[in-house]
Amino acid sequence: MRTINALLLLLIAGALISCDGALDENPSGKLSGDQLATPDRVESLVTAAYAALGNGHWDASTYTDPWPWGSVRSDNSYKGGGSVADQGVYNNYEQFSSIRTDLDKADQFWFKSYQGISRANLAIEKLGQISEEEFPMKTRRIAEARFIRGHFHFMLKIMFKHVPYVEANEEKALKNVSNREFTSQELWDKIASDFQFAANNLPPSQPEPGRVDQWAAKAYLAKTRLYQAYRQDDNNQVVEIQDDKLQEVVQLVDELEASGEFELFNDIRKNFLWEFDNTDGGETVFAVQRSRNDGTVRGRVNMENALNYPMNSGFGCCWFHIPSQNFVNSFQTNSEGLPKFDTFNQNSLTEPQDFQQNTVDPRLDHTVALEGHPFKYDNNRIYNPDVWARAPATYGTYTSMKGLQPVGSPAVQQVVFFYASSKNNDVIRYADVLLWKAEALIELGREGEALPIINRIRNRAANSKVKEANGENVSNYNIEPYRDGQNINWTQETAREALRYERRMELGMEGWRFFDFVRWGIAAETLNDYFETEKQRRSYLQDARFQEGRDEYLPIPQQQIDFSDGTYVQNPGWPGG
């Protein structure tokens, strides 16, 4: 992805939507519409829209690496850091019971997302003012901008449910667009229309890394339809699963499979190491392109997860996004190499010997740093929680690994006190896409067709063992495929359970688990069961409680309701809702 330059930032700054008093100003540096509607400048406006994807930050605008919203609010991870008060607003979100409508992190997420939408809309508007003869790439660039707009609206939708759908770039447009203009299902259709346009008008491949293509658009359309298929009532309860939407998911994923453009890596680790970025025929379907040493001050490194590096020499800050004990326990397998669906949390794996005395799924050692095991596959860097963990008395001894790069990696760059990398961050990878298809097939009553898909991913996991320097496995691995009539009775019910478990093993700590819960309609029962046991292990969770019918979505930020002069309607269960 090309980096937006400083001059362009100055040119477009006045045209970006803001959520404060700047909307009432007429910036002196703002260009007129005629000045922006030239081939060179509309190309730059599309680049600026792409740049918005890479402008995320751990301060709350984590809209391509949503670990605070999808992991910390799930049973997969704790907030972490130096204490409960460190980035304490994320602690409110983790515990649910202390969320308020005026917390700043959600407000920042909203604000930054609509800035991204504004950039996309400005590009679309100005592209519409020039002809194909003037700019032969016009339709393709509109499709790219609509994809970007679709991404930001999708993230807002799964965070807040009822949000303004903005497709005009007029000043003050945002505050005047009701967040209830469309029903929830109609809003999904609006988001889907952007991805459908992109799918219809983008080529199968692009000459420049970082530009979205037809397959990324079809994948995001499939994801949108999957979420939409689980129709919710006004209290966020799933009341219907729509077959037509599920069938569309299957059809779209079939097209991705038939394209021959994607394949599961032979080892899952390749998804999480910088050197395998931009691999032809690999697993990335849609990723934000990162860079360093590119002529800018700090490059386009991923600041969204810059809080999450451990405290050891070589990094040093700040140990957030810490795997939960429940999550670590969930990797246990039984004697037949299958998950311990109902019993995994009855005993805890806490000591180094526990990972030899019990059998586990190999994906554990790709996801969680464990005492005595290599950190990010480096046998010269053995994880020592006495040195690497920052607040073990509060959050335990583990460290997350997927979003991080090894010590000494050419991708890692220090930014003041923090560490970040130029590893592209995958928003959609192929294993996720295949599991969408498996999920849709199961809900359509075609669970037999889902079985080989899930086994394909399990077989890749079995081939992804992490080794010590002497060639021995670092843990006692035992993972097998599901065999109907032998190690499992493959019914729709058991297939659904297996699919949901597989998503946790394969995609754990990638930021999507909470949103899975809400889609399936199981957030309250799952999280309250989790809190009941986990608060006995982590005392800071004593007051944690998920309120059904409210906590599936964040409240509309009070700052935004005030900004809209009451146009926005608060979500159910929150003050004013």
Side-chain angles (χ1 to χ4, degrees):
M1 184 180 298
R2 293 179 297 169
T3 304
I4 184 172
N5 59 45
L7 174 60
L8 179 59
L9 282 172
L10 290 173
L11 293 176
I12 68 172
L16 295 178
I17 289 177
S18 176
C19 294
D20 54 27
L23 281 169
D24 299 319
E25 302 296 331
N26 187 16
S28 58
K30 181 181 174 182
L31 296 179
S32 71
D34 290 343
Q35 289 174 295
L36 287 173
T38 67
D40 287 346
R41 284 181 173 143
V42 294
E43 187 75 271
S44 295
L45 290 174
V46 176
T47 299
Y50 273 108
L53 292 172
N55 284 346
H57 195 275
W58 51 259
D59 64 1
S61 51
T62 47
Y63 35 62
T64 62
D65 190 354
W67 62 269
W69 312 111
S71 284
V72 171
R73 290 197 297 162
S74 78
D75 52 359
N76 279 358
S77 78
Y78 315 129
K79 172 184 72 68
S83 68
V84 171
D86 190 1
Q87 294 295 315
V89 174
Y90 285 136
N91 178 69
N92 295 68
Y93 295 123
E94 179 181 1
Q95 303 211 35
F96 293 96
S97 57
S98 55
I99 295 176
R100 303 191 313 271
T101 62
D102 63 347
L103 295 179
D104 65 331
K105 299 295 188 186
D107 179 54
Q108 282 295 309
F109 188 99
W110 179 291
F111 169 63
K112 295 291 187 180
S113 296
Y114 278 108
Q115 280 191 328
I117 290 168
S118 175
R119 291 191 181 193
N121 281 337
L122 181 60
I124 293 165
E125 177 189 339
K126 299 310 173 187
L127 282 160
Q129 295 174 4
I130 61 176
S131 67
E132 297 277 0
E133 290 74 19
E134 291 177 277
F135 188 54
M137 299 294 285
K138 171 182 175 176
T139 301
R140 183 185 297 191
R141 295 295 184 254
I142 290 174
E144 293 173 30
R146 288 190 65 171
F147 178 100
I148 294 167
R149 183 174 73 184
H151 165 75
F152 282 112
H153 276 125
F154 180 94
M155 293 304 299
L156 285 161
K157 178 78 170 72
I158 64 174
M159 288 277 285
F160 300 100
K161 188 174 185 178
H162 297 291
V163 298
Y165 181 83
V166 182
E167 52 188 335
N169 201 61
E170 299 174 2
E171 287 187 357
K172 301 187 180 180
L174 178 57
K175 69 180 296 183
N176 295 322
V177 178
S178 171
N179 67 326
R180 298 300 182 97
E181 179 180 6
F182 302 107
T183 67
S184 182
Q185 288 297 101
E186 289 170 343
L187 184 53
W188 280 127
D189 282 334
K190 296 292 288 185
I191 295 168
S193 70
D194 276 339
F195 295 126
Q196 184 67 69
F197 183 90
N200 292 343
N201 292 283
L202 288 173
S205 63
Q206 295 265 36
E208 296 169 300
R211 288 197 185 274
V212 295
D213 59 25
Q214 177 186 124
W215 306 118
K218 288 187 174 182
Y220 224 140
L221 178 58
K223 185 173 186 177
T224 302
R225 292 307 194 196
L226 181 64
Y227 275 72
Q228 184 181 16
Y230 294 81
R231 187 173 68 84
Q232 298 177 351
D233 64 16
D234 292 340
N235 294 314
N236 307 329
Q237 306 307 299
V238 175
V239 293
E240 179 189 13
I241 302 178
Q242 301 173 95
D243 286 358
D244 61 328
K245 302 298 187 296
L246 297 175
Q247 289 163 355
E248 188 173 351
V249 173
V250 173
Q251 177 184 340
L252 287 163
V253 178
D254 281 347
E255 292 177 24
L256 264 76
E257 290 187 272
S259 74
E261 293 290 325
F262 308 101
E263 185 53 75
L264 294 179
F265 283 124
N266 60 358
D267 191 318
I268 194 175
R269 76 183 66 196
K270 293 182 179 180
N271 287 288
F272 313 119
L273 289 171
W274 160 81
E275 51 264 41
F276 297 102
D277 280 352
N278 302 321
T279 300
D280 289 339
E283 202 161 331
T284 296
V285 180
F286 167 47
V288 176
Q289 196 80 11
R290 300 291 181 180
S291 63
R292 64 183 298 258
N293 297 327
D294 57 7
T296 61
V297 174
R298 67 181 188 197
R300 300 293 294 166
V301 291
N302 183 5
M303 292 301 295
E304 293 190 29
N305 63 20
L307 285 180
N308 301 347
Y309 282 84
M311 306 302 294
N312 64 305
S313 175
F315 293 135
C317 194
C318 291
W319 199 67
F320 280 74
H321 194 204
I322 303 307
S324 72
Q325 187 63 57
N326 179 291
F327 181 59
V328 171
N329 293 345
S330 72
F331 285 88
Q332 294 183 81
T333 58
N334 63 24
S335 60
E336 295 181 307
L338 301 187
K340 292 185 174 181
F341 292 111
D342 300 320
T343 62
F344 74 86
N345 208 31
Q346 291 179 0
N347 67 294
S348 289
L349 307 182
T350 57
E351 302 299 326
Q353 62 269 22
D354 294 337
F355 301 95
Q356 298 299 327
Q357 296 170 354
N358 299 272
T359 58
V360 296
D361 186 313
R363 287 170 288 193
L364 172 65
D365 283 299
H366 297 271
T367 310
V368 182
L370 304 171
E371 182 178 355
H373 294 205
F375 181 80
K376 291 294 290 192
Y377 319 113
D378 185 351
N379 282 291
N380 294 315
R381 298 278 181 176
I382 303 303
Y383 182 71
N384 179 359
D386 291 338
V387 178
W388 296 48
R390 187 177 177 192
T394 302
Y395 294 115
T397 62
Y398 309 119
T399 293
S400 61
M401 290 195 296
K402 277 187 176 178
L404 313 183
Q405 292 304 290
V407 176
S409 168
V412 175
Q413 178 170 305
Q414 186 171 358
V415 182
V416 193
F417 303 111
F418 309 102
Y419 291 80
S421 86
S422 58
K423 167 77 177 73
N424 296 345
N425 56 292
D426 288 333
V427 181
I428 300 175
R429 62 182 180 91
Y430 194 47
D432 195 6
V433 172
L434 293 176
L435 289 172
W436 300 340
K437 179 180 175 181
E439 180 178 335
L441 288 168
I442 290 166
E443 298 305 331
L444 286 167
R446 297 161 58 185
E447 61 273 6
E449 297 173 63
L451 178 58
I453 299 173
I454 295 172
N455 279 342
R456 181 179 175 187
I457 292 171
R458 290 184 67 76
N459 288 336
R460 192 266 295 274
N463 292 325
S464 301
K465 298 178 175 67
V466 180
K467 304 287 185 178
E468 296 178 356
N470 63 7
E472 296 294 322
N473 294 336
V474 299
S475 296
N476 184 11
Y477 301 131
N478 185 22
I479 180 173
E480 294 291 335
Y482 296 101
R483 300 183 181 92
D484 186 20
Q486 298 180 44
N487 59 14
I488 194 170
N489 181 20
W490 194 258
T491 64
Q492 185 182 46
E493 182 179 353
T494 58
R496 183 183 293 120
E497 184 176 33
L499 176 282
R500 293 178 178 182
Y501 211 99
E502 197 67 21
R503 286 192 63 81
R504 190 179 197 190
M505 297 295 94
E506 180 69 19
L507 301 164
M509 308 298 282
E510 295 181 40
W512 304 109
R513 181 147 171 90
F514 176 78
F515 304 114
D516 284 347
F517 290 162
V518 175
R519 180 173 78 255
W520 298 329
I522 63 170
E525 61 184 276
T526 304
L527 286 169
N528 285 327
D529 285 349
Y530 161 71
F531 289 138
E532 183 177 352
T533 301
E534 207 73 3
K535 67 178 57 176
Q536 299 172 34
R537 300 164 174 158
R538 304 288 178 254
S539 59
Y540 80 96
L541 289 172
Q542 289 304 307
D543 296 326
R545 179 73 183 172
F546 186 97
Q547 183 174 319
E548 188 173 16
R550 185 194 74 169
D551 289 327
E552 290 84 4
Y553 298 94
L554 292 175
I556 307 302
Q558 187 60 47
Q559 299 91 324
Q560 300 304 321
I561 292 176
D562 295 342
F563 159 73
S564 76
D565 296 327
T567 298
Y568 301 159
V569 178
Q570 185 57 272
N571 284 332
W574 300 100

